[in-house]
């Protein structure tokens, strides 16, 4: 007899496991949950003998894994709507950054705000993600760019994970931009970011992974390599903003360090894609930034498919280039702009996103032994999650087997 806290029944389940069945779908399914984990999943007609505490009849709705946003900059001060206007008037992202705007303008606003202020503003953005089925979110630093402010951001991210009803993975993004006080002495800042701030954040238990922005307007392969060497010494996995604006060898660099993911990759060549495939690096596609920057070169999706690179999808929620706080909007944009199939896109925000965060043993699919992070939807088929823009589809969310208020 299986003992369970909760039985979910009268539902259809998109398990998102790999195989020949689209979406890993189980029609007329049931799920047994005990102590926050799935202990049985299958057709309702095949339910084993069980002892339960509570039953939830889901009224024929669809259930997916809780969605995973594996690339966000959720914690920041201020906004950059003025730069949005500038870009619409023809000013490029690079021009804005070189004139002291862009990331640096968010740095000034973030440094000026307290932890409580940053937490309160992040919760407003998080609401949009939660309302579109997100149960796990990655949050980066990178708008502090000094010792105190980077740790401040990471502490806020950890607080969100404790208090806001989502699972949080943190990424230290110290090499995001050169702060204004080091504009003429970038080497000194790189030294601080690598040798002082990262070890301190790690010692405080604030870092799950290490990220960097590798572009001519940001940091070089050599500078990022120094950071990644330090991450390796500390036993931390790495990920990379790679080849977004140019082919700077970012994908190959990510592969060299067996990174969890290479993100953006609009300009990655076939050689870079092959390197990612050989190293098991997940490609994280960010259609919100592609849309907002009005880019014309899409990520090499055909090459990624050809070489078997796993593809995740994320919002890239940030104040400058992707003010997107909806996971279903990201799904739609990935299909419309990058021509992903709905099955690929939904895998990208569940199974593949979990791989991109190194947590696929815990979440990302609905399987026995995994955490019962589940989203229940008012839809008739899973493709609707990629089809509708702005229509509320979420019925309920379970995190660790408990229905979220």
């Amino acid at each position: 007899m299986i003992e369970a806290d909760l039985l979910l029944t009268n539902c259809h389940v998109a398990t998102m496991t790999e195989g020949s069945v689209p979406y890993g779908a189980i029609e007329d399914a049931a799920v047994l949950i005990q102590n926050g984990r799935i202990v049985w999943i299958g057709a309702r007609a095949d339910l084993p003998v069980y002892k339960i505490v509570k039953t939830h009849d889901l009224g024929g709705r669809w259930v997916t894994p809780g969605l995973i946003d594996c690339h966000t900059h959720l914690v920041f001060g201020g906004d950059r709507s003025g730069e949005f206007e500038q870009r619409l008037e023809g000013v490029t992202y690079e021009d804005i950054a070189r004139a002291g705007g862009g990331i640096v303008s968010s740095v000034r606003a973030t440094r000026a705000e307290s932890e409580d202020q940053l937490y309160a503003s992040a919760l407003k953005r998080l609401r949009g993600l939660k309302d579109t089925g997100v149960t796990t979110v990655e949050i980066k630093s990178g708008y502090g760019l000094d010792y105190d402010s980077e740790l401040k951001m990471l502490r806020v991210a950890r607080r969100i994970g404790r208090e806001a009803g989502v699972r949080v993975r943190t990424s230290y993004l110290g090499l995001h931009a050169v702060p204004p006080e080091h504009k003429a002495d970038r080497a000194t800042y790189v030294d601080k970011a690598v040798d002082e701030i990262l070890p301190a954040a790690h010692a405080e238990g604030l870092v799950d992974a290490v990220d960097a922005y590798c572009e001519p307007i940001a940091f070089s392969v050599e500078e990022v390599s120094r950071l990644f060497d330090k991450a390796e010494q500390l036993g931390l996995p790495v990920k990379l903003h790679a080849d977004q604006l140019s082919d700077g060898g970012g994908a190959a660099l990510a592969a060299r360090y067996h990174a969890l993911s290479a993100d953006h990759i609009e300009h990655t060549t076939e050689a870079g894609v092959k390197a990612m495939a050989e190293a098991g690096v997940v490609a994280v596609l960010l259609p919100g930034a592609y849309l907002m920057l009005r880019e014309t070169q899409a990520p090499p999706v055909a090459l990624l498919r050809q070489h078997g690179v796993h593809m995740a999808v994320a919002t890239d929620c940030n104040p400058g280039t992707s003010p997107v706080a909806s996971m279903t909007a990201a799904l739609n944009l990935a299909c419309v702009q990058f021509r992903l199939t709905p099955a690929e896109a939904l895998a990208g925000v569940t199974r593949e996103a979990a791989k991109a965060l190194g947590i696929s043993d815990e979440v990302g699919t609905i399987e026995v032994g995994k955490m019962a992070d589940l989203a229940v939807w008012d839809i008739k088929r899973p493709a609707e999650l990629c089809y509708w823009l702005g229509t509320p589809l979420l019925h309920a969310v379970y995190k660790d087997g408990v229905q979220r208020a």
Side-chain angles (χ1 to χ4, degrees), residues 173-195:
L173 183 56
L175 295 191
H176 194 197
V178 178
E181 65 271 23
H182 287 290
K183 192 171 183 179
D185 187 20
R186 63 183 291 131
T188 298
Y189 175 69
V190 172
D191 289 344
K192 289 182 178 179
V194 172
D195 297 326

Side-chain angles (χ1 to χ4, degrees), residues 26 30 67 76 109 111 131-132 147 150 188 219 314 319 321 367:
I26 303 173
L67 305 190
F76 58 82
R111 288 178 175 179
D131 286 350
T132 50
Y147 185 100
E150 284 291 292
T188 298
F219 293 92
T321 62
E367 296 182 83

Side-chain angles (χ1 to χ4, degrees), residues 258-338:
H258 293 273
L260 291 171
S261 68
D263 302 23
H264 289 290
I265 67 164
E266 283 89 339
H267 292 265
T268 296
T269 63
E270 186 167 11
V273 170
K274 287 181 177 179
M276 290 173 62
E278 292 170 2
V281 178
V282 176
V284 178
L285 309 183
L286 302 170
Y290 181 88
L291 172 75
M292 294 300 294
L293 291 173
R294 297 189 293 173
E295 294 287 356
T296 56
Q297 181 162 328
V301 169
L303 288 173
L304 296 171
R305 288 180 181 135
Q306 177 184 334
H307 294 287
V309 176
H310 295 276
M311 294 182 288
V313 174
T315 65
D316 192 15
C317 180
N318 76 70
T321 62
S322 188
V324 177
S326 166
M327 202 75 245
T328 50
L331 283 169
N332 176 278
L333 292 172
C335 293
V336 172
Q337 296 184 136
F338 300 158

Side-chain angles (χ1 to χ4, degrees), residues 110-328:
T110 300
R111 288 178 175 179
E113 292 193 6
S114 68
E115 288 188 21
D116 285 344
Q117 289 172 315
L118 291 172
Y119 179 75
S121 65
L123 288 189
K124 294 178 182 178
R125 295 181 283 274
L126 181 65
R127 173 52 58 190
L129 300 180
K130 292 173 68 175
D131 286 350
T132 50
V134 169
T135 55
T136 299
V137 59
E138 183 258 16
I139 302 175
K140 305 178 189 297
S141 68
Y143 291 129
L145 304 185
D146 64 26
Y147 185 100
D148 291 335
S149 301
E150 284 291 292
L151 268 61
K152 176 176 66 175
M153 290 186 69
L154 292 167
R155 290 188 194 108
V156 171
R158 283 284 191 243
R159 182 179 171 187
I160 290 169
R162 291 193 306 271
E163 300 177 5
V166 291
R167 195 179 309 280
V168 167
R169 301 293 289 180
T170 59
S171 296
Y172 169 71
L173 183 56
L175 295 191
H176 194 197
V178 178
E181 65 271 23
H182 287 290
K183 192 171 183 179
D185 187 20
R186 63 183 291 131
T188 298
Y189 175 69
V190 172
D191 289 344
K192 289 182 178 179
V194 172
D195 297 326
E196 297 178 22
I197 305 174
L198 173 56
H202 174 60
E204 199 172 318
L206 299 176
V207 184
D208 295 317
V210 173
D211 198 349
Y213 187 22
C214 187
E215 283 287 349
I217 65 169
F219 293 92
S220 68
V221 167
E222 292 73 24
E223 290 166 330
V224 173
S225 294
R226 277 199 56 204
L227 177 68
F228 283 4
D229 287 341
K230 177 63 72 171
E232 282 190 345
Q233 293 172 20
L234 296 173
L236 293 168
V238 300
K239 53 208 292 105
L240 187 66
H241 289 61
D243 303 337
Q244 179 186 10
L245 305 174
S246 62
D247 177 21
L253 175 63
R256 176 149 55 92
Y257 283 89
H258 293 273
L260 291 171
S261 68
D263 302 23
H264 289 290
I265 67 164
E266 283 89 339
H267 292 265
T268 296
T269 63
E270 186 167 11
V273 170
K274 287 181 177 179
M276 290 173 62
E278 292 170 2
V281 178
V282 176
V284 178
L285 309 183
L286 302 170
Y290 181 88
L291 172 75
M292 294 300 294
L293 291 173
R294 297 189 293 173
E295 294 287 356
T296 56
Q297 181 162 328
V301 169
L303 288 173
L304 296 171
R305 288 180 181 135
Q306 177 184 334
H307 294 287
V309 176
H310 295 276
M311 294 182 288
V313 174
T315 65
D316 192 15
C317 180
N318 76 70
T321 62
S322 188
V324 177
S326 166
M327 202 75 245
T328 50

